[in-house]
Amino acid sequence: MGNASGRSPRPNRVLPTGEIVAIAQRGSWLGNRGILHDGVGDAASVTRLHRGPLWIICALQHRDWRLPQWEAHHFTVLFFHDEAVALAAGHRPCALCRRPAYTAYRDAWIDANGLIEGRVPRAFEMDRRLHAERLVSRTRIKRVHPMSWGLLPDGAFVALPDGPALVRGDAVVPWTPQGYAARASRPIAGVADILTPPSTLGVLRAGYVPQIDGAAG
């Protein structure tokens, strides 16, 4: 989805690396990391990467709610190209507006990562673990996780020399601010640098199916 208004893009689009940038591509999902901007309206600017470990993927529309953007005391509305990008950035489905997806994610989390003290993990416990996996401690630096190509599930994102790419079956599909580019063969040996947090990789292996733009094939 491009910017239909003709105005210059605002810095509220999220890359697979978790960075927040100003690009025309808007996408299929909304994100929340708390209040990241200072100022209001056209004078607002993003000054923080996050406000804590709660990073969620929300529906663009929920009931008749209207979400203000660039207002004081209101979270900064972010956007993702597709759900695979959002998961790579370190987000997980919202338990309120995407309850079925949240439940499916949590159930796959249990299959992959186990219970916590013999019980179903709470949202904040998953958030805390994801937060440790997505950023180098006390920095804004994205963590990458070396892993064998053969262990990567469909829907994972890797960091290639030319940029992020989606694992899609026996192919890798480069991601760009204009969308997915031409597919290339997936390596059958060696180690890749993974952008998607390990806990979410387990969720994908356990059967959670993220929404992926059809242009990825």
Tab-separated table of all heavy atoms in Angstrom, residues 130-186:
chain	number	residue	atom	x	y	z
A	130	LEU	N	11.109	-12.043	24.279
A	130	LEU	CA	11.330	-11.492	22.943
A	130	LEU	C	12.226	-10.258	23.007
A	130	LEU	O	13.078	-10.056	22.131
A	130	LEU	CB	9.995	-11.131	22.296
A	130	LEU	CG	9.135	-12.289	21.790
A	130	LEU	CD1	7.749	-11.792	21.403
A	130	LEU	CD2	9.801	-12.980	20.602
A	131	HIS	N	12.043	-9.437	24.023
A	131	HIS	CA	12.828	-8.205	24.119
A	131	HIS	C	14.313	-8.522	24.261
A	131	HIS	O	15.166	-7.826	23.688
A	131	HIS	CB	12.348	-7.363	25.286
A	131	HIS	CG	12.727	-5.923	25.177
A	131	HIS	ND1	12.352	-5.139	24.113
A	131	HIS	CD2	13.467	-5.115	25.994
A	131	HIS	CE1	12.828	-3.912	24.271
A	131	HIS	NE2	13.512	-3.878	25.402
A	132	ALA	N	14.632	-9.562	25.009
A	132	ALA	CA	16.028	-9.965	25.171
A	132	ALA	C	16.605	-10.514	23.871
A	132	ALA	O	17.821	-10.446	23.650
A	132	ALA	CB	16.142	-11.005	26.277
A	133	GLU	N	15.741	-11.046	23.010
A	133	GLU	CA	16.206	-11.657	21.767
A	133	GLU	C	16.295	-10.666	20.605
A	133	GLU	O	17.005	-10.915	19.632
A	133	GLU	CB	15.265	-12.800	21.370
A	133	GLU	CG	15.281	-13.951	22.346
A	133	GLU	CD	14.269	-15.033	22.003
A	133	GLU	OE1	13.410	-14.798	21.125
A	133	GLU	OE2	14.331	-16.118	22.613
A	134	ARG	N	15.588	-9.542	20.679
A	134	ARG	CA	15.538	-8.658	19.507
A	134	ARG	C	16.557	-7.530	19.553
A	134	ARG	O	16.907	-6.965	18.518
A	134	ARG	CB	14.135	-8.091	19.321
A	134	ARG	CG	13.600	-7.242	20.454
A	134	ARG	CD	12.103	-7.013	20.293
A	134	ARG	NE	11.494	-6.504	21.502
A	134	ARG	CZ	10.258	-6.820	21.902
A	134	ARG	NH1	9.498	-7.633	21.191
A	134	ARG	NH2	9.759	-6.315	23.006
A	135	LEU	N	17.032	-7.148	20.733
A	135	LEU	CA	17.978	-6.042	20.847
A	135	LEU	C	19.173	-6.443	21.702
A	135	LEU	O	19.030	-7.186	22.684
A	135	LEU	CB	17.313	-4.824	21.495
A	135	LEU	CG	16.186	-4.133	20.733
A	135	LEU	CD1	15.585	-3.022	21.593
A	135	LEU	CD2	16.673	-3.576	19.408
A	136	VAL	N	20.359	-5.954	21.308
A	136	VAL	CA	21.522	-6.076	22.177
A	136	VAL	C	21.236	-5.267	23.447
A	136	VAL	O	20.721	-4.141	23.385
A	136	VAL	CB	22.786	-5.544	21.472
A	136	VAL	CG1	23.981	-5.576	22.408
A	136	VAL	CG2	23.069	-6.355	20.209
A	137	SER	N	21.524	-5.857	24.589
A	137	SER	CA	21.156	-5.256	25.868
A	137	SER	C	21.627	-3.808	25.980
A	137	SER	O	22.770	-3.474	25.661
A	137	SER	CB	21.762	-6.075	27.009
A	137	SER	OG	21.443	-5.526	28.268
A	138	ARG	N	20.704	-2.928	26.399
A	138	ARG	CA	20.945	-1.515	26.668
A	138	ARG	C	21.350	-0.731	25.415
A	138	ARG	O	22.007	0.310	25.510
A	138	ARG	CB	22.005	-1.338	27.765
A	138	ARG	CG	21.615	-1.982	29.082
A	138	ARG	CD	22.686	-1.744	30.141
A	138	ARG	NE	22.363	-2.447	31.370
A	138	ARG	CZ	21.541	-1.996	32.317
A	138	ARG	NH1	20.972	-0.815	32.170
A	138	ARG	NH2	21.309	-2.706	33.412
A	139	THR	N	20.968	-1.222	24.259
A	139	THR	CA	21.258	-0.511	23.009
A	139	THR	C	20.021	-0.537	22.121
A	139	THR	O	19.016	-1.169	22.437
A	139	THR	CB	22.418	-1.171	22.232
A	139	THR	OG1	21.954	-2.370	21.593
A	139	THR	CG2	23.577	-1.499	23.144
A	140	ARG	N	20.124	0.164	20.988
A	140	ARG	CA	19.096	0.111	19.945
A	140	ARG	C	19.522	-0.821	18.814
A	140	ARG	O	18.923	-0.823	17.739
A	140	ARG	CB	18.873	1.518	19.386
A	140	ARG	CG	18.308	2.507	20.386
A	140	ARG	CD	18.475	3.950	19.924
A	140	ARG	NE	17.815	4.201	18.649
A	140	ARG	CZ	16.693	4.889	18.500
A	140	ARG	NH1	16.095	5.407	19.560
A	140	ARG	NH2	16.172	5.096	17.323
A	141	ILE	N	20.536	-1.632	19.049
A	141	ILE	CA	21.118	-2.477	18.002
A	141	ILE	C	20.338	-3.782	17.889
A	141	ILE	O	20.129	-4.495	18.888
A	141	ILE	CB	22.592	-2.778	18.289
A	141	ILE	CG1	23.396	-1.465	18.339
A	141	ILE	CG2	23.175	-3.707	17.232
A	141	ILE	CD1	24.821	-1.636	18.831
A	142	LYS	N	19.907	-4.114	16.680
A	142	LYS	CA	19.172	-5.344	16.422
A	142	LYS	C	20.080	-6.558	16.615
A	142	LYS	O	21.200	-6.595	16.091
A	142	LYS	CB	18.636	-5.317	14.984
A	142	LYS	CG	18.020	-6.613	14.496
A	142	LYS	CD	16.663	-6.870	15.092
A	142	LYS	CE	15.967	-8.039	14.395
A	142	LYS	NZ	14.685	-8.384	15.028
A	143	ARG	N	19.630	-7.535	17.353
A	143	ARG	CA	20.369	-8.790	17.499
A	143	ARG	C	20.117	-9.676	16.292
A	143	ARG	O	18.987	-9.789	15.821
A	143	ARG	CB	19.941	-9.534	18.755
A	143	ARG	CG	20.426	-8.932	20.055
A	143	ARG	CD	20.141	-9.857	21.221
A	143	ARG	NE	20.912	-11.095	21.133
A	143	ARG	CZ	20.800	-12.103	21.994
A	143	ARG	NH1	19.925	-12.033	22.990
A	143	ARG	NH2	21.528	-13.187	21.849
A	144	VAL	N	21.163	-10.303	15.800
A	144	VAL	CA	21.019	-11.351	14.798
A	144	VAL	C	21.449	-12.663	15.444
A	144	VAL	O	22.267	-12.675	16.368
A	144	VAL	CB	21.835	-11.061	13.523
A	144	VAL	CG1	21.303	-9.833	12.817
A	144	VAL	CG2	23.316	-10.908	13.833
A	145	HIS	N	20.886	-13.755	14.953
A	145	HIS	CA	21.085	-15.048	15.587
A	145	HIS	C	21.585	-16.034	14.534
A	145	HIS	O	20.804	-16.464	13.675
A	145	HIS	CB	19.779	-15.531	16.209
A	145	HIS	CG	19.194	-14.563	17.199
A	145	HIS	ND1	19.510	-14.576	18.535
A	145	HIS	CD2	18.335	-13.525	17.027
A	145	HIS	CE1	18.867	-13.601	19.149
A	145	HIS	NE2	18.139	-12.955	18.257
A	146	PRO	N	22.865	-16.398	14.559
A	146	PRO	CA	23.379	-17.354	13.571
A	146	PRO	C	22.682	-18.696	13.700
A	146	PRO	O	22.483	-19.213	14.798
A	146	PRO	CB	24.871	-17.458	13.924
A	146	PRO	CG	25.170	-16.220	14.705
A	146	PRO	CD	23.917	-15.902	15.460
A	147	MET	N	22.302	-19.269	12.565
A	147	MET	CA	21.603	-20.551	12.550
A	147	MET	C	21.780	-21.225	11.203
A	147	MET	O	21.914	-20.559	10.179
A	147	MET	CB	20.115	-20.332	12.837
A	147	MET	CG	19.322	-21.603	13.091
A	147	MET	SD	17.647	-21.229	13.670
A	147	MET	CE	17.991	-20.443	15.237
A	148	SER	N	21.795	-22.543	11.210
A	148	SER	CA	21.922	-23.305	9.974
A	148	SER	C	20.748	-23.027	9.046
A	148	SER	O	19.594	-22.958	9.485
A	148	SER	CB	21.989	-24.798	10.295
A	148	SER	OG	21.863	-25.571	9.116
A	149	TRP	N	21.062	-22.867	7.749
A	149	TRP	CA	19.995	-22.658	6.767
A	149	TRP	C	18.958	-23.777	6.822
A	149	TRP	O	17.766	-23.546	6.626
A	149	TRP	CB	20.586	-22.578	5.367
A	149	TRP	CG	21.122	-21.238	4.998
A	149	TRP	CD1	22.429	-20.843	5.013
A	149	TRP	CD2	20.372	-20.108	4.555
A	149	TRP	NE1	22.541	-19.533	4.612
A	149	TRP	CE2	21.290	-19.056	4.329
A	149	TRP	CE3	19.023	-19.872	4.336
A	149	TRP	CZ2	20.890	-17.803	3.872
A	149	TRP	CZ3	18.625	-18.623	3.884
A	149	TRP	CH2	19.545	-17.601	3.657
A	150	GLY	N	19.401	-24.972	7.102
A	150	GLY	CA	18.488	-26.117	7.096
A	150	GLY	C	17.484	-26.117	8.220
A	150	GLY	O	16.511	-26.869	8.176
A	151	LEU	N	17.685	-25.281	9.233
A	151	LEU	CA	16.783	-25.238	10.384
A	151	LEU	C	15.749	-24.125	10.296
A	151	LEU	O	14.915	-23.982	11.192
A	151	LEU	CB	17.598	-25.069	11.673
A	151	LEU	CG	18.572	-26.188	12.023
A	151	LEU	CD1	19.348	-25.839	13.283
A	151	LEU	CD2	17.840	-27.515	12.199
A	152	LEU	N	15.777	-23.342	9.212
A	152	LEU	CA	14.927	-22.163	9.146
A	152	LEU	C	13.524	-22.487	8.646
A	152	LEU	O	13.365	-23.113	7.597
A	152	LEU	CB	15.560	-21.107	8.235
A	152	LEU	CG	16.926	-20.595	8.676
A	152	LEU	CD1	17.401	-19.498	7.749
A	152	LEU	CD2	16.890	-20.114	10.113
A	153	PRO	N	12.506	-22.060	9.376
A	153	PRO	CA	11.127	-22.292	8.940
A	153	PRO	C	10.674	-21.275	7.908
A	153	PRO	O	11.241	-20.178	7.787
A	153	PRO	CB	10.321	-22.143	10.230
A	153	PRO	CG	11.105	-21.133	11.018
A	153	PRO	CD	12.552	-21.401	10.692
A	154	ASP	N	9.648	-21.630	7.173
A	154	ASP	CA	9.023	-20.701	6.246
A	154	ASP	C	8.529	-19.474	7.013
A	154	ASP	O	7.962	-19.593	8.098
A	154	ASP	CB	7.834	-21.396	5.574
A	154	ASP	CG	7.579	-20.884	4.171
A	154	ASP	OD1	8.523	-20.859	3.377
A	154	ASP	OD2	6.434	-20.497	3.886
A	155	GLY	N	8.768	-18.284	6.470
A	155	GLY	CA	8.321	-17.069	7.120
A	155	GLY	C	9.381	-16.371	7.933
A	155	GLY	O	9.145	-15.252	8.412
A	156	ALA	N	10.557	-17.004	8.095
A	156	ALA	CA	11.656	-16.362	8.816
A	156	ALA	C	12.333	-15.326	7.922
A	156	ALA	O	12.288	-15.406	6.699
A	156	ALA	CB	12.669	-17.406	9.274
A	157	PHE	N	12.986	-14.364	8.562
A	157	PHE	CA	13.776	-13.365	7.835
A	157	PHE	C	15.248	-13.536	8.168
A	157	PHE	O	15.616	-13.745	9.325
A	157	PHE	CB	13.342	-11.937	8.199
A	157	PHE	CG	12.432	-11.311	7.181
A	157	PHE	CD1	11.056	-11.469	7.279
A	157	PHE	CD2	12.943	-10.585	6.121
A	157	PHE	CE1	10.207	-10.882	6.349
A	157	PHE	CE2	12.110	-9.998	5.173
A	157	PHE	CZ	10.733	-10.148	5.283
A	158	VAL	N	16.075	-13.413	7.129
A	158	VAL	CA	17.519	-13.475	7.284
A	158	VAL	C	18.131	-12.144	6.845
A	158	VAL	O	17.524	-11.385	6.086
A	158	VAL	CB	18.131	-14.628	6.465
A	158	VAL	CG1	17.560	-15.960	6.919
A	158	VAL	CG2	17.883	-14.430	4.970
A	159	ALA	N	19.350	-11.872	7.343
A	159	ALA	CA	20.099	-10.689	6.920
A	159	ALA	C	21.128	-11.119	5.893
A	159	ALA	O	22.070	-11.856	6.217
A	159	ALA	CB	20.771	-10.040	8.120
A	160	LEU	N	20.944	-10.704	4.656
A	160	LEU	CA	21.885	-10.976	3.580
A	160	LEU	C	22.756	-9.735	3.351
A	160	LEU	O	22.416	-8.644	3.824
A	160	LEU	CB	21.134	-11.338	2.304
A	160	LEU	CG	20.265	-12.600	2.358
A	160	LEU	CD1	19.592	-12.840	1.005
A	160	LEU	CD2	21.080	-13.823	2.776
A	161	PRO	N	23.869	-9.869	2.626
A	161	PRO	CA	24.721	-8.697	2.377
A	161	PRO	C	23.981	-7.525	1.748
A	161	PRO	O	24.308	-6.361	2.022
A	161	PRO	CB	25.801	-9.256	1.449
A	161	PRO	CG	25.891	-10.709	1.806
A	161	PRO	CD	24.490	-11.113	2.125
A	162	ASP	N	22.976	-7.810	0.914
A	162	ASP	CA	22.238	-6.739	0.239
A	162	ASP	C	20.995	-6.290	0.989
A	162	ASP	O	20.277	-5.406	0.526
A	162	ASP	CB	21.840	-7.182	-1.176
A	162	ASP	CG	23.046	-7.362	-2.089
A	162	ASP	OD1	24.076	-6.701	-1.844
A	162	ASP	OD2	22.961	-8.166	-3.022
A	163	GLY	N	20.724	-6.897	2.142
A	163	GLY	CA	19.551	-6.502	2.908
A	163	GLY	C	18.758	-7.699	3.399
A	163	GLY	O	19.135	-8.858	3.179
A	164	PRO	N	17.618	-7.464	4.061
A	164	PRO	CA	16.811	-8.562	4.600
A	164	PRO	C	16.124	-9.362	3.509
A	164	PRO	O	15.806	-8.841	2.437
A	164	PRO	CB	15.789	-7.842	5.489
A	164	PRO	CG	15.741	-6.448	4.983
A	164	PRO	CD	17.070	-6.143	4.396
A	165	ALA	N	15.889	-10.643	3.797
A	165	ALA	CA	15.212	-11.514	2.843
A	165	ALA	C	14.359	-12.516	3.592
A	165	ALA	O	14.697	-12.959	4.697
A	165	ALA	CB	16.212	-12.241	1.943
A	166	LEU	N	13.251	-12.875	2.984
A	166	LEU	CA	12.283	-13.814	3.547
A	166	LEU	C	12.609	-15.228	3.099
A	166	LEU	O	12.901	-15.469	1.924
A	166	LEU	CB	10.881	-13.433	3.073
A	166	LEU	CG	9.732	-14.368	3.432
A	166	LEU	CD1	9.377	-14.232	4.908
A	166	LEU	CD2	8.516	-14.068	2.550
A	167	VAL	N	12.540	-16.170	4.028
A	167	VAL	CA	12.664	-17.587	3.678
A	167	VAL	C	11.289	-18.081	3.248
A	167	VAL	O	10.317	-17.986	4.001
A	167	VAL	CB	13.182	-18.405	4.873
A	167	VAL	CG1	13.181	-19.892	4.556
A	167	VAL	CG2	14.572	-17.940	5.271
A	168	ARG	N	11.229	-18.600	2.022
A	168	ARG	CA	9.948	-19.022	1.449
A	168	ARG	C	10.165	-20.340	0.731
A	168	ARG	O	10.586	-20.388	-0.425
A	168	ARG	CB	9.448	-17.947	0.477
A	168	ARG	CG	7.990	-18.069	0.088
A	168	ARG	CD	7.092	-17.661	1.225
A	168	ARG	NE	5.728	-17.418	0.775
A	168	ARG	CZ	4.658	-17.736	1.489
A	168	ARG	NH1	4.796	-18.318	2.675
A	168	ARG	NH2	3.440	-17.477	1.044
A	169	GLY	N	9.918	-21.456	1.440
A	169	GLY	CA	10.148	-22.763	0.844
A	169	GLY	C	11.620	-22.945	0.516
A	169	GLY	O	12.491	-22.749	1.363
A	170	ASP	N	11.910	-23.307	-0.734
A	170	ASP	CA	13.295	-23.523	-1.150
A	170	ASP	C	13.916	-22.252	-1.718
A	170	ASP	O	14.943	-22.308	-2.404
A	170	ASP	CB	13.379	-24.657	-2.173
A	170	ASP	CG	12.563	-24.382	-3.434
A	170	ASP	OD1	11.900	-23.328	-3.511
A	170	ASP	OD2	12.591	-25.231	-4.343
A	171	ALA	N	13.319	-21.108	-1.429
A	171	ALA	CA	13.808	-19.832	-1.955
A	171	ALA	C	14.008	-18.824	-0.837
A	171	ALA	O	13.497	-18.978	0.282
A	171	ALA	CB	12.822	-19.269	-2.985
A	172	VAL	N	14.775	-17.786	-1.144
A	172	VAL	CA	14.822	-16.590	-0.323
A	172	VAL	C	14.333	-15.440	-1.196
A	172	VAL	O	14.642	-15.378	-2.391
A	172	VAL	CB	16.230	-16.304	0.235
A	172	VAL	CG1	16.594	-17.308	1.307
A	172	VAL	CG2	17.281	-16.292	-0.863
A	173	VAL	N	13.554	-14.562	-0.599
A	173	VAL	CA	12.939	-13.469	-1.351
A	173	VAL	C	13.414	-12.154	-0.745
A	173	VAL	O	13.011	-11.805	0.375
A	173	VAL	CB	11.402	-13.552	-1.303
A	173	VAL	CG1	10.790	-12.560	-2.285
A	173	VAL	CG2	10.916	-14.964	-1.598
A	174	PRO	N	14.278	-11.411	-1.428
A	174	PRO	CA	14.752	-10.138	-0.879
A	174	PRO	C	13.598	-9.176	-0.627
A	174	PRO	O	12.650	-9.089	-1.412
A	174	PRO	CB	15.681	-9.605	-1.976
A	174	PRO	CG	16.116	-10.819	-2.731
A	174	PRO	CD	14.927	-11.734	-2.711
A	175	TRP	N	13.705	-8.451	0.486
A	175	TRP	CA	12.701	-7.439	0.827
A	175	TRP	C	13.299	-6.066	0.596
A	175	TRP	O	14.448	-5.796	0.954
A	175	TRP	CB	12.275	-7.577	2.281
A	175	TRP	CG	11.169	-6.637	2.669
A	175	TRP	CD1	9.831	-6.890	2.617
A	175	TRP	CD2	11.303	-5.293	3.137
A	175	TRP	NE1	9.124	-5.781	3.034
A	175	TRP	CE2	10.003	-4.782	3.344
A	175	TRP	CE3	12.394	-4.468	3.381
A	175	TRP	CZ2	9.773	-3.490	3.803
A	175	TRP	CZ3	12.179	-3.170	3.838
A	175	TRP	CH2	10.870	-2.700	4.047
A	176	THR	N	12.515	-5.158	0.012
A	176	THR	CA	12.942	-3.777	-0.211
A	176	THR	C	11.816	-2.848	0.213
A	176	THR	O	10.664	-3.283	0.382
A	176	THR	CB	13.270	-3.520	-1.692
A	176	THR	OG1	12.037	-3.364	-2.434
A	176	THR	CG2	14.087	-4.656	-2.299
A	177	PRO	N	12.081	-1.558	0.367
A	177	PRO	CA	11.001	-0.614	0.687
A	177	PRO	C	9.920	-0.547	-0.381
A	177	PRO	O	8.823	-0.040	-0.118
A	177	PRO	CB	11.734	0.730	0.812
A	177	PRO	CG	13.115	0.359	1.231
A	177	PRO	CD	13.414	-0.910	0.486
A	178	GLN	N	10.200	-1.076	-1.571
A	178	GLN	CA	9.187	-1.124	-2.628
A	178	GLN	C	8.426	-2.450	-2.626
A	178	GLN	O	7.496	-2.638	-3.415
A	178	GLN	CB	9.840	-0.918	-4.000
A	178	GLN	CG	10.392	0.479	-4.225
A	178	GLN	CD	11.673	0.729	-3.451
A	178	GLN	OE1	12.566	-0.111	-3.413
A	178	GLN	NE2	11.761	1.888	-2.824
A	179	GLY	N	8.811	-3.386	-1.773
A	179	GLY	CA	8.163	-4.686	-1.724
A	179	GLY	C	9.161	-5.799	-1.960
A	179	GLY	O	10.376	-5.592	-1.950
A	180	TYR	N	8.644	-6.988	-2.173
A	180	TYR	CA	9.512	-8.146	-2.394
A	180	TYR	C	10.078	-8.133	-3.801
A	180	TYR	O	9.395	-7.775	-4.764
A	180	TYR	CB	8.745	-9.441	-2.139
A	180	TYR	CG	8.453	-9.680	-0.678
A	180	TYR	CD1	7.176	-9.470	-0.147
A	180	TYR	CD2	9.446	-10.091	0.197
A	180	TYR	CE1	6.906	-9.666	1.203
A	180	TYR	CE2	9.196	-10.296	1.542
A	180	TYR	CZ	7.928	-10.075	2.040
A	180	TYR	OH	7.685	-10.275	3.378
A	181	ALA	N	11.349	-8.549	-3.913
A	181	ALA	CA	12.042	-8.589	-5.197
A	181	ALA	C	12.069	-10.029	-5.714
A	181	ALA	O	11.383	-10.914	-5.194
A	181	ALA	CB	13.449	-8.027	-5.035
A	182	ALA	N	12.869	-10.269	-6.745
A	182	ALA	CA	12.912	-11.586	-7.399
A	182	ALA	C	13.467	-12.654	-6.457
A	182	ALA	O	14.451	-12.425	-5.729
A	182	ALA	CB	13.757	-11.507	-8.662
A	183	ARG	N	12.848	-13.804	-6.478
A	183	ARG	CA	13.267	-14.929	-5.643
A	183	ARG	C	14.635	-15.449	-6.078
A	183	ARG	O	15.004	-15.378	-7.249
A	183	ARG	CB	12.250	-16.061	-5.733
A	183	ARG	CG	10.892	-15.715	-5.173
A	183	ARG	CD	9.808	-16.648	-5.685
A	183	ARG	NE	10.007	-18.022	-5.289
A	183	ARG	CZ	9.402	-18.605	-4.244
A	183	ARG	NH1	8.556	-17.895	-3.493
A	183	ARG	NH2	9.613	-19.857	-3.954
A	184	ALA	N	15.377	-15.990	-5.117
A	184	ALA	CA	16.652	-16.652	-5.393
A	184	ALA	C	16.644	-17.995	-4.670
A	184	ALA	O	15.843	-18.227	-3.760
A	184	ALA	CB	17.812	-15.788	-4.908
A	185	SER	N	17.519	-18.885	-5.094
A	185	SER	CA	17.583	-20.201	-4.464
A	185	SER	C	18.075	-20.080	-3.027
A	185	SER	O	19.012	-19.330	-2.736
A	185	SER	CB	18.515	-21.126	-5.251
A	185	SER	OG	18.009	-21.352	-6.543
A	186	ARG	N	17.466	-20.832	-2.168
A	186	ARG	CA	17.872	-20.854	-0.767
A	186	ARG	C	19.112	-21.730	-0.617
A	186	ARG	O	19.145	-22.854	-1.134
A	186	ARG	CB	16.735	-21.405	0.077
A	186	ARG	CG	17.051	-21.674	1.530
A	186	ARG	CD	15.814	-22.208	2.222
A	186	ARG	NE	16.073	-22.658	3.572
A	186	ARG	CZ	15.124	-23.025	4.433
A	186	ARG	NH1	13.850	-22.974	4.056
A	186	ARG	NH2	15.432	-23.429	5.651
